[in-house]
Amino acid sequence: MERDDIFQSLEDAIIEGDTVKATETAKSAVESGIDPLDAVENGMAKGMEVVGERFECGDAYLPELMMAGDAFKAAMEILKPELLRQKKATKEVGTVLLASVKGDLHSIGKNILANVLETHGFTVIDAGVDNSALQIIEEAQKSSAQAIGLSALMTTTMPAQREVIEALKELGLREQYRVIVGGGPVTQEWADEIEADGYGQNAVQAVELLKQLVA
């Protein structure tokens, strides 16, 4: 397959939740000498964006979201050895804590970002899902993170992103951390409203933003 065909096949595999197709196409990417990060960014991540948008609009449901996540993981199993090899040749950038906020049980977007951050030299601390503001702050302090990434995949959980920032202010810790927000329904306008340090529409944007903020 040609380079663009591989990217399209990876995107389709994620959208279809087809683990076999995801695995075989990831193997083709490796055999073709494609940069695994390009495969993630230009194929798999785009597929997850489509599924995430469908989920937010009510055109897809949790089973489809989980199937897409399984397909993503299957492809990552093939790409990960090469990604790890690249990380070893990358200068350590900083430590980022990633967390899905209180009430949000979704982790796929957060997991994509974690993988891409690691390939760019970041140490990633994954706090998991359904984290209260205090849980996130405690984990950030414990891990000596320089930045916090807050994920919310539903409009109903977006206010919890604001709660983390407000809690940091109340505790006198706001200046210690760069806070970025993301997730399907999140926008730059929302990030500005809650006084986040930035917004990542996708994993690639989030990585570049964090590079600037941590530097």
Side-chain angles (χ1 to χ4, degrees), residues 82-92 118-124:
E82 181 60 19
L83 287 167
L84 292 174
R85 187 190 68 76
Q86 288 187 6
K87 182 185 177 184
K88 290 178 182 177
T90 305
K91 183 180 178 182
E92 190 69 32
E118 287 180 344
T119 65
H120 280 81
F122 284 90
T123 296
V124 177

Side-chain angles (χ1 to χ4, degrees), residues 2-211:
E2 296 294 326
R3 179 186 178 88
D4 289 344
D5 292 334
I6 288 175
F7 292 156
Q8 186 62 56
S9 183
L10 282 170
E11 180 178 346
D12 292 343
I14 303 304
I15 294 171
E16 296 161 8
D18 189 334
T19 56
V20 174
K21 184 176 182 178
T23 298
E24 293 305 315
T25 309
K27 288 179 181 177
S28 296
V30 173
E31 292 166 359
S32 300
I34 291 174
D35 185 327
L37 189 57
D38 284 343
V40 174
E41 295 174 350
N42 297 313
M44 296 152 60
K46 286 187 176 180
M48 287 307 309
E49 286 178 19
V50 171
V51 177
E53 288 170 2
R54 290 179 180 176
F55 179 79
E56 179 63 20
C57 295
D59 293 330
Y61 301 95
L62 191 56
E64 288 92 335
L65 202 62
M66 293 175 68
M67 288 172 63
D70 288 341
F72 188 93
K73 290 177 185 176
M76 279 303 302
E77 286 299 314
I78 304 301
L79 299 175
K80 201 163 189 178
E82 181 60 19
L83 287 167
L84 292 174
R85 187 190 68 76
Q86 288 187 6
K87 182 185 177 184
K88 290 178 182 177
T90 305
K91 183 180 178 182
E92 190 69 32
V93 179
T95 301
V96 180
L97 172 73
L98 298 182
S100 294
V101 294
K102 187 67 177 176
D104 206 305
L105 301 176
H106 303 100
S107 61
I108 294 173
K110 172 177 62 60
N111 294 347
I112 293 173
L113 177 56
N115 282 312
V116 179
L117 280 170
E118 287 180 344
T119 65
H120 280 81
F122 284 90
T123 296
V124 177
I125 308 300
D126 189 344
V129 301
D130 194 23
N131 289 278
S132 69
L134 289 180
Q135 285 176 318
I136 291 170
I137 294 169
E138 287 173 1
E139 193 62 44
Q141 290 182 301
K142 186 167 65 176
S143 60
S144 299
Q146 288 90 44
I148 300 172
L150 302 173
S151 175
L153 198 63
M154 302 183 294
T155 54
T156 53
T157 57
M158 284 170 58
Q161 293 178 324
R162 186 203 299 270
E163 291 173 10
V164 175
I165 293 174
E166 292 300 321
L168 285 168
K169 290 178 183 177
E170 291 172 10
L171 294 169
L173 300 172
R174 182 65 183 90
E175 298 305 313
Q176 289 188 27
Y177 303 101
R178 296 291 177 261
V179 181
I180 71 165
V181 293
V186 179
T187 62
Q188 182 63 58
E189 289 72 24
W190 171 249
D192 294 338
E193 180 182 329
I194 65 175
E195 299 181 4
D197 294 298
Y199 156 69
Q201 184 175 5
N202 53 49
V204 179
Q205 287 186 11
V207 169
E208 292 306 314
L209 175 60
L210 283 166
K211 282 182 180 178

